């Protein structure tokens, strides 16, 4: 029975790592489409979204079954309840990649807006946070989790910088306003991906140390943790 | 033992209803501050935020304890796992009200932007969705939950309308761009409150019918369910 439980926990971790890998690829593809003005990668994002949605249901069902059948002890129960929360954050951050795609589809049919180098930089940070938050969870690695939480500030700063830069672009060139607005919103999408990764990392600390670090993060630039 | 379990479940429902009532008031106050240019209500929003954050921890701890001590049967376990998810959505939608406050604080010190009547209408819809989603949960009321899910479309449409209107305002008056941008983002905050209420309502259907209705909603105007 116990060996079966351990095997189920391993499957749970693998499902979450698969979701994370899909979501990381979705973020990379969405931003590639936007920056390189290349629509060819967009269908893959929508395919990955379908798989993430299915995995979300599988993970929730597995969490339910694990608790109902095995009545796990305290430490394992916290680990499974965290999986259930991480599952939600992964699906929602993958949705943010889809939202970036919608804007990329509109933007690449129109004249390019002035250079916006901060967006790809933000995407790299966001993907790294997602990847590392999941590895922190499966390895119960508090140091990495804390590092993910610290990195969130850089995305908040990126969002503020993009918003301020693009407001200048809009004032100088009112015809570019609808396009510039879309890019501002992309920076918000990326910042929210970071928020979800931060939420995942906070769960890791709770699982390992039993310490609830939510609402104790250092104040960050811009808006509340959950986004803009 | 069973009577004690039922009493704990009742406490859990009351905690969630208290969070919801606080969040509804936060939304009303944040939009009142914005629309009536009245900063007097803002401190109350921040006080309520503190209480919501504390309640979030209390609910998570109660969910954990209920499962660990009582090893609930399938139906009760689904109800408690849903509480844990609803808890997260309530805290995050309350954060959106705080994000509206941050923008209200900036906006009321500056000249007013042209009429934006859609914002208070969106706020009324969003508050109603939050309230009704929680009542649907505690009463296991699928009809109300379905109604909440349907109403989400109206907030998506409101967000699109505000964004388009304000893009026009920006083009006509470039000096108003930073202010207009803040109001566009407020419409996104309200739309995300609706997304969280919709997530809560989807949980209700799952708890009552065992049917996972996520990712089967009718296509809505604008972006993915999770937001902008």
């Amino acid at each position: 029975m116990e060996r079966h439980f351990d095997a189920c926990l391993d499957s749970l971790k693998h499902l979450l790592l698969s979701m994370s890998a899909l979501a990381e690829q979705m973020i990379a593809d969405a931003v590639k489409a936007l920056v390189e003005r290349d629509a060819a990668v967009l269908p893959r994002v929508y395919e990955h979204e379908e798989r993430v949605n299915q995995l979300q249901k599988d993970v929730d069902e597995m969490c339910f079954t694990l608790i109902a059948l095995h009545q796990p002890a305290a430490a394992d129960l916290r680990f499974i309840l965290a999986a259930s929360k991480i599952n939600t954050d992964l699906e929602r951050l993958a949705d943010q990649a889809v939202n970036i795609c919608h804007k990329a589809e509109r933007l690449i049919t129109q004249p390019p807006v002035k250079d916006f180098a901060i967006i790809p930089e933000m995407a790299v940070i966001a993907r790294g946070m997602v990847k590392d938050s999941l590895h922190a969870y499966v390895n119960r690695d508090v140091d990495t989790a804390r590092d993910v939480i610290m990195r969130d500030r850089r995305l908040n700063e990126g969002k503020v910088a993009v918003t301020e830069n693009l407001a200048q672009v809009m004032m100088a060139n009112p015809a570019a306003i609808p396009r510039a607005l879309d890019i501002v919103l992309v920076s918000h999408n990326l910042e929210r991906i970071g928020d979800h990764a931060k939420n995942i990392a906070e769960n890791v600390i709770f699982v390992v140390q039993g310490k609830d670090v939510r609402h104790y993060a250092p104040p960050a630039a811009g808006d509340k943790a959950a986004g803009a």
Side-chain angles (χ1 to χ4, degrees), chain A:
Chain A
M1 187 70 168
E2 201 168 307
R3 269 179 67 190
H4 179 242
F5 178 74
D6 288 341
C8 288
L9 267 193
D10 278 343
S11 301
L12 182 64
K13 291 179 201 169
H14 280 111
L15 287 182
L16 289 170
L17 286 172
S18 301
M19 283 178 83
S20 172
L22 288 166
E24 290 160 42
Q25 189 63 52
M26 289 168 73
I27 300 164
D29 287 341
V31 172
K32 180 181 160 70
L34 177 70
V35 174
E36 299 183 7
R37 302 173 69 80
D38 172 12
V41 293
L42 292 176
R44 184 163 68 186
V45 180
Y46 297 119
E47 285 162 28
H48 285 175
E49 183 202 8
E50 292 294 314
R51 290 172 59 195
V52 166
N53 289 346
Q54 184 55 53
L55 282 166
Q56 185 193 17
K57 294 181 183 187
D58 296 344
V59 167
D60 266 349
E61 200 50 42
M62 186 175 272
C63 289
F64 174 80
T65 306
L66 270 171
I67 297 172
L69 291 188
H70 295 276
Q71 299 172 341
D76 287 329
L77 180 57
R78 283 201 196 279
F79 192 82
I80 297 165
L81 289 175
S84 166
K85 286 179 187 290
I86 289 167
N87 188 33
T88 304
D89 278 306
L90 280 173
E91 190 271 337
R92 292 191 189 168
L93 70 88
D95 267 354
Q96 295 302 316
V98 174
N99 289 341
I100 294 172
C101 276
H102 294 326
K103 290 168 198 108
E105 283 181 290
R106 280 199 294 266
L107 284 164
I108 61 188
T109 63
Q110 298 172 58
V113 179
K114 221 191 82 165
D115 174 58
F116 47 94
I118 303 172
I119 296 285
E121 284 170 31
M122 287 180 75
V124 169
I125 297 169
R127 285 176 61 199
M129 287 174 70
V130 173
K131 186 186 175 86
D132 292 347
S133 66
L134 260 290
H135 282 272
Y137 172 69
V138 298
N139 299 317
R140 301 175 190 245
D141 174 353
V142 169
D143 290 342
T144 299
R146 286 195 191 282
D147 188 58
V148 169
I149 292 168
M150 293 307 293
R151 274 182 265 165
D152 186 49
R153 175 187 282 266
R154 290 162 61 195
L155 287 182
N156 289 329
E157 289 166 353
K159 178 190 74 173
V160 170
V162 169
T163 306
E164 285 172 359
N165 288 353
L166 271 296
Q168 295 299 320
V169 169
M170 292 185 209
M171 284 193 261
N173 178 14
I177 285 171
R179 287 170 280 151
L181 202 47
D182 268 343
I183 297 170
V184 168
L185 294 174
V186 167
S187 77
H188 284 251
N189 295 140
L190 289 168
E191 186 257 347
R192 284 177 59 195
I193 290 173
D195 288 336
H196 288 295
K198 183 180 165 216
N199 292 331
I200 293 171
E202 288 171 345
N203 273 299
V204 174
I205 297 175
F206 185 59
V207 165
V208 178
Q209 301 194 331
K211 209 190 285 179
D212 195 333
V213 295
R214 294 176 301 191
H215 315 302
Y216 289 104
D223 263 331
K224 286 289 305 175

